[in-house]
């Protein structure tokens, strides 16, 4: 019997008053080990990060309210040739969820094009907020990726350093009556996902050890980092893609946004060779990311409830 200590998902301090963010320092090396260990254990962690000013975060949530207030037909103009990259939601799978996504909004021209789609008459404030937030989160991602591979004692291969991403804004309706599962359990098909939750509205949960759902509360000034399927493949399965879901209490609607990092389009997703050894034989074949997305599109519904990750089914050896 005995009392069990509740599982705690780590919260790391990346704020500028620490030495942590200077590569090569002891603080950086220690943090790299901790980051790598947390991802290997939980596939996620939270991070306090002041590289994104509080004001920018507030502007982003305000901007998102304006986005979701737009008429349905305007939001549904957000289409993409890639599966699940554009408008998604209000369907059988996710009736209480709605989201829009745009690629490479860290590039001003792409941020402008997305803004133009939603506000043909222009909305400079939205465009600047989106562009600025995307750039800041991209920087955070690059730092974390470097830490992960430093933690493994491996130089991050150039092929893994990618600026490709989708910035996604999300809204969940308030449940009436009981709590509701508003986003079903899934693993992300990105490499790493950086999420920002609305303050004061709890909802995100991660699965630990295959059976324990742990809530990740929104912490002011913090971001949630989720390891996703491409990082699982790069790391030869040493970092799991964390399964997560969103459960909401009655009466509370919720907003969140995230930067979903993607690999380079013209380079195969391959296991980092240094992470293959006797104890860790190769787990994945090299694959084309677009082929994987197409496979995911064709098989997603069939795999609901499966405890296998898409990447293992698609590229496992
Ligand atoms: O809203 C959240 O916190 C999670 C969203 C999510 O998991 C996703 O869009 O893949
Ligand atoms: Fe997700």
């Amino acid at each position: 019997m005995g009392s069990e200590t509740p599982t705690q998902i780590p919260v790391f301090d990346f704020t500028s008053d620490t030495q942590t963010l200077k590569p090569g320092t002891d603080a950086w090396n220690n943090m790299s080990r901790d980051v790598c260990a947390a991802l290997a254990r939980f596939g996620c962690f939270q991070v306090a990060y002041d590289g994104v000013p509080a004001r920018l975060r507030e502007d982003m949530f305000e901007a998102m309210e304006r986005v979701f207030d737009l008429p349905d037909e305007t939001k549904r103009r957000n289409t993409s040739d890639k599966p699940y990259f554009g408008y998604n939601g209000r369907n059988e799978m996710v009736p209480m969820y709605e989201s829009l996504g745009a690629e490479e909004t860290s590039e001003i021209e792409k941020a402008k094009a997305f803004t133009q789609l939603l506000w043909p008459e222009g909305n400079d404030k939205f465009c600047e907020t989106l562009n600025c937030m995307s750039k800041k989160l991209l920087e955070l991602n690059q730092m974390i990726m470097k830490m992960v591979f430093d933690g493994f004692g491996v130089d991050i291969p150039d092929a893994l350093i990618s600026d490709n991403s989708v910035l996604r804004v999300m809204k969940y309706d308030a449940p009436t009556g009981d709590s509701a599962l508003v986003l079903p359990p899934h693993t992300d098909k990105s490499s790493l996902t950086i999420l920002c939750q609305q303050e004061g509205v709890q909802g995100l949960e991660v699965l630990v050890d295959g059976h324990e759902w742990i809530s990740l509360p929104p912490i002011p000034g913090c971001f949630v980092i989720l390891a996703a399927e491409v990082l699982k493949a790069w790391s030869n399965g040493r970092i799991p893609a964390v399964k997560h879901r969103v459960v909401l209490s009655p009466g509370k609607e919720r907003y969140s946004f995230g930067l979903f990092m993607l690999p380079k389009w013209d380079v195969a997703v391959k296991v980092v060779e240094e992470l293959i050894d006797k104890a860790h034989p190769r787990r994945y074949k090299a694959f084309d990311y677009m082929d994987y997305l197409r496979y995911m599109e064709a098989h997603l519904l069939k795999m609901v409830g499966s405890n296998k990750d898409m990447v293992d089914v698609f590229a496992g050896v």
Side-chain angles (χ1 to χ4, degrees):
M1 304 290 254
S3 62
E4 283 187 23
T5 337
T7 309
Q8 298 270 4
I9 303 297
V11 182
F12 295 128
D13 184 3
F14 281 18
T15 53
S16 45
D17 51 357
T18 69
Q19 288 296 304
T20 306
L21 306 186
K22 297 204 178 79
T25 59
D26 285 348
W28 168 279
N29 293 336
N30 291 338
M31 185 58 83
S32 297
R33 272 193 295 275
D34 290 350
V35 158
C36 194
L39 289 180
R41 169 76 181 89
F42 302 111
C44 64
F45 61 89
Q46 298 216 56
V47 60
Y49 184 61
D50 55 7
V52 176
R55 180 74 233 173
L56 180 58
R57 233 181 228 257
E58 287 158 24
D59 287 349
M60 189 70 197
F61 280 104
E62 267 172 42
M64 284 164 59
E65 287 188 34
R66 302 287 89 75
V67 169
F68 288 105
D69 284 346
L70 288 168
D72 271 2
E73 62 189 57
T74 308
K75 288 182 273 191
R76 286 177 190 271
R77 277 189 223 141
N78 174 216
T79 55
S80 169
D81 53 346
K82 306 186 186 90
Y84 300 101
F85 274 44
Y87 178 90
N88 183 25
R90 301 252 177 265
N91 57 41
E92 253 173 63
M93 284 272 284
V94 277
M96 297 168 75
Y97 161 92
E98 201 178 12
S99 79
L100 290 86
E103 283 183 79
E104 271 75 84
T105 42
S106 55
E107 292 170 22
I108 187 67
E109 290 311 320
K110 300 278 176 67
K112 277 185 186 160
F114 184 58
T115 305
Q116 170 91 29
L117 190 73
L118 300 178
W119 286 281
E121 67 284 12
N123 185 339
D124 289 349
K125 172 79 182 163
F126 175 80
C127 183
E128 193 195 315
T129 302
L130 185 73
N131 179 238
C132 208
M133 180 59 82
S134 308
K135 286 199 281 201
K136 301 268 180 210
L137 294 185
L138 195 60
E139 277 172 27
L140 177 59
N141 168 74
Q142 312 302 40
M143 197 152 59
I144 292 170
M145 285 296 291
K146 181 163 168 45
M147 281 187 175
V148 170
F149 285 89
D150 275 4
F152 280 129
V154 171
D155 282 338
I156 181 168
D158 282 348
L160 273 56
I161 303 171
S162 163
D163 284 353
N164 296 349
S165 64
V166 175
L167 193 285
R168 182 161 285 286
V169 294
M170 297 163 273
K171 183 186 179 189
Y172 303 85
D173 295 340
T176 48
D178 293 318
S179 295
L181 176 68
V182 287
L183 189 66
H186 65 281
T187 50
D188 289 347
K189 310 302 180 249
S190 43
S191 51
L192 204 73
T193 301
I194 303 181
L195 286 176
C196 184
Q197 308 191 74
Q198 181 186 0
E199 272 179 37
V201 188
Q202 187 129 336
L204 181 64
E205 298 181 352
V206 293
L207 188 64
V208 171
D209 296 332
H211 65 273
E212 195 186 357
W213 284 103
I214 310 234
S215 174
L216 282 182
I219 308 174
C222 283
F223 292 87
V224 174
I225 310 299
L226 302 176
E229 295 204 358
V230 171
L231 182 56
K232 185 180 186 190
W234 280 337
S235 68
N236 201 24
R238 296 195 198 200
I239 293 181
V242 63
K243 196 164 263 189
H244 53 285
R245 66 183 187 184
V246 178
V247 177
L248 277 191
S249 304
K252 295 224 172 179
E253 63 176 15
R254 175 176 183 268
Y255 290 86
S256 66
F257 65 88
L259 191 73
F260 294 75
M261 293 306 307
L262 311 176
K264 291 178 176 171
W265 293 107
D266 51 352
V267 177
V269 177
K270 273 201 265 192
V271 173
V272 172
E273 291 291 326
E274 288 94 329
L275 299 181
I276 302 173
D277 58 28
K278 274 222 175 85
H280 306 90
R282 174 187 299 281
R283 284 185 54 180
Y284 301 99
K285 298 177 269 207
F287 63 90
D288 177 80
Y289 186 61
M290 196 62 212
D291 290 347
Y292 160 81
L293 289 180
R294 297 267 175 244
Y295 183 89
M296 182 267 295
E297 183 180 29
H299 294 81
L300 196 63
L301 287 179
K302 280 179 250 169
M303 282 192 59
V304 170
S306 156
N307 48 26
K308 279 205 160 182
D309 291 336
M310 192 70 68
V311 71
D312 289 79
V313 178
F314 174 69
V317 292

